Amino acid sequence: MKAFIALFSQDADRRPALFLGLLGSVLLLAASCRGSGKPDEAAEDPLNTSTAEITRLSERILAEPSNAGLYYLRGLEFRSFNNQAALTDFKQAWLLDSANANHALGLSEQYFLMNDSRASMGVLNRWLKHNPTEQRVLWALARQALLLKQYELSLGALNQILREDLQNPEVYYLKGRNFRFLGDTAQAISSYQTALEMEPAYERAHLELGVMLLAKGDDTGLRYLRNALALNDSSAAARYQLAKYHQDRGEFTDAVETYEALILRDPQNGAALYNLGTIWYAADSLEKALRLFDMSTKVEPTRAMAYYGKALCAAQLNRSEQAMSFVRQALNLNPDLAVAKALSDSLEALSP
């Protein structure tokens, strides 16, 4: 039974400058420059969704076109509804005053929001060449590099931060994540433990350390998972990992109770629904397992194994046509799913 469940179970980036800068302001007046040029034609303004604050800032920019800070502030306003206008303003703030960390951070973040991670990282790296100890930009680089899976770059930025801030637990937490993704388990565990020595209530460090320890067969990881839940009883991640721990050890009663408690709090947790379905399938509660697999596919329509689970249940309930429909859906999602191919062959062999 354990072997069967193991098969199914899964864990779940100066004149020319001045001229360019004025473009954003000119756009606000563009409509009144057409036709007769009367001011009352401003209603045709292509940026007629402009806010009162943007209008105020635009008027100030007309009066102070070389004030980089005004473009930066207007970029922040635009960011909530017009990414391209925001990018234009952040670029202009950067052109007028590239020594200001706010301008580097604003432009970098805007590029990242617009899915241009290369340009985003380029801004941060260029800025740090001239200002290598600026903490806010180092933090931005460390976090963004981690998201982009540039782990060595992230670690370099974090080590630079440590030269001026030795007692920051978040540095060690992020180092732990980087080492974890690099596959350096020993360094990751050490970093997480250092973070917890500095901040015992660091929930995410407890959670990730617990997961790592359990993955290497160290049951002391269970204590860290429970610490994470004690710090945040609503932590779906900690509750899921605890349930998975019980399931992997064959402690199915505890696993079911923990999965059900999690699903009660988080009904959209597809991984928990799926894993609970595998437990009930192994216990021959086919209708219950089928409902859980079905709920999992509704939450996560691309989970091929959940369709396969539905097909297995239907087949054992002698619903051959339904089983074939489910297994085809599994294979449509993952044509290389060997167990689904085998089931499909078996069903076809049994068909009249």
Side-chain angles (χ1 to χ4, degrees), residues 14-124:
R14 269 280 186 198
R15 293 175 60 85
L18 183 58
F19 174 76
L20 288 171
L22 290 171
L23 286 178
S25 300
V26 170
L27 281 174
L28 292 171
L29 303 174
S32 62
C33 293
R34 301 191 194 99
S36 64
K38 294 178 182 178
D40 59 3
E41 291 179 6
E44 299 176 14
D45 186 346
L47 296 179
N48 57 15
T49 54
S50 174
T51 65
E53 180 62 11
I54 287 175
T55 299
R56 186 186 72 81
L57 288 167
S58 297
E59 291 171 351
R60 290 190 61 191
I61 287 172
L62 285 173
E64 304 176 62
S66 61
N67 188 329
L70 295 176
Y71 291 98
Y72 170 77
L73 293 173
R74 193 173 67 176
L76 292 176
E77 291 292 322
F78 271 130
R79 179 176 281 167
S80 65
F81 67 94
N82 190 329
N83 276 325
Q84 194 57 53
L87 182 61
T88 298
D89 274 352
F90 286 128
K91 282 181 176 180
Q92 185 57 25
W94 168 264
L95 284 170
L96 290 170
D97 184 5
S98 61
N100 188 311
N102 286 332
H103 303 163
L105 291 168
L107 180 56
S108 173
E109 184 177 356
Q110 190 60 38
Y111 274 129
F112 197 79
L113 289 171
M114 296 173 71
N115 299 316
D116 192 345
S117 59
R118 182 185 295 274
S120 178
M121 293 292 283
V123 171
L124 296 177

Side-chain angles (χ1 to χ4, degrees), residues 39-258:
D40 59 3
E41 291 179 6
E44 299 176 14
D45 186 346
L47 296 179
N48 57 15
T49 54
S50 174
T51 65
E53 180 62 11
I54 287 175
T55 299
R56 186 186 72 81
L57 288 167
S58 297
E59 291 171 351
R60 290 190 61 191
I61 287 172
L62 285 173
E64 304 176 62
S66 61
N67 188 329
L70 295 176
Y71 291 98
Y72 170 77
L73 293 173
R74 193 173 67 176
L76 292 176
E77 291 292 322
F78 271 130
R79 179 176 281 167
S80 65
F81 67 94
N82 190 329
N83 276 325
Q84 194 57 53
L87 182 61
T88 298
D89 274 352
F90 286 128
K91 282 181 176 180
Q92 185 57 25
W94 168 264
L95 284 170
L96 290 170
D97 184 5
S98 61
N100 188 311
N102 286 332
H103 303 163
L105 291 168
L107 180 56
S108 173
E109 184 177 356
Q110 190 60 38
Y111 274 129
F112 197 79
L113 289 171
M114 296 173 71
N115 299 316
D116 192 345
S117 59
R118 182 185 295 274
S120 178
M121 293 292 283
V123 171
L124 296 177
N125 282 313
R126 286 198 302 273
W127 203 89
L128 285 168
K129 282 182 180 179
H130 304 287
N131 308 272
T133 62
E134 169 57 49
Q135 295 284 294
R136 289 186 299 153
V137 181
L138 284 167
W139 274 110
L141 181 66
R143 294 185 178 113
Q144 196 172 126
L146 175 58
L147 289 172
L148 296 172
K149 301 181 180 181
Q150 298 180 26
Y151 306 123
E152 297 290 356
L153 180 59
S154 181
L155 283 168
L158 291 167
N159 287 331
Q160 184 72 15
I161 291 169
L162 279 177
R163 293 179 183 179
E164 296 189 20
D165 190 1
L166 284 170
Q167 301 301 313
N168 191 321
E170 188 175 2
V171 176
Y172 292 97
Y173 165 72
L174 291 177
K175 288 187 70 172
R177 287 182 65 81
N178 278 292
F179 284 127
R180 177 185 175 192
F181 295 131
L182 282 168
D184 191 335
T185 302
Q187 287 274 38
I189 290 173
S190 175
S191 296
Y192 284 133
Q193 288 174 334
T194 302
L196 288 171
E197 288 168 7
M198 294 180 176
E199 177 49 79
Y202 207 136
E203 176 199 340
R204 291 293 306 182
H206 280 288
L207 171 62
E208 294 177 30
L209 179 56
V211 171
M212 285 201 70
L213 289 170
L214 291 176
K216 65 188 291 289
D218 186 344
D219 284 353
T220 60
L222 191 60
R223 172 166 58 89
Y224 289 102
L225 287 185
R226 288 173 174 157
N227 288 344
L229 276 173
L231 290 165
N232 178 12
D233 188 55
S234 65
S235 172
R239 204 171 293 278
Y240 174 83
Q241 292 296 336
L242 185 59
K244 189 68 170 57
Y245 167 82
H246 290 307
Q247 182 179 0
D248 291 344
R249 288 173 60 90
E251 300 167 353
F252 299 117
T253 299
D254 290 335
V256 168
E257 289 178 357
T258 310

Side-chain angles (χ1 to χ4, degrees), residues 268 291-301 306-307 310:
Q268 303 299 304
R291 286 196 300 273
L292 287 161
F293 288 136
D294 187 57
M295 291 167 67
S296 179
T297 60
K298 285 181 168 59
V299 172
E300 296 180 358
Y307 285 102
K310 289 169 66 173

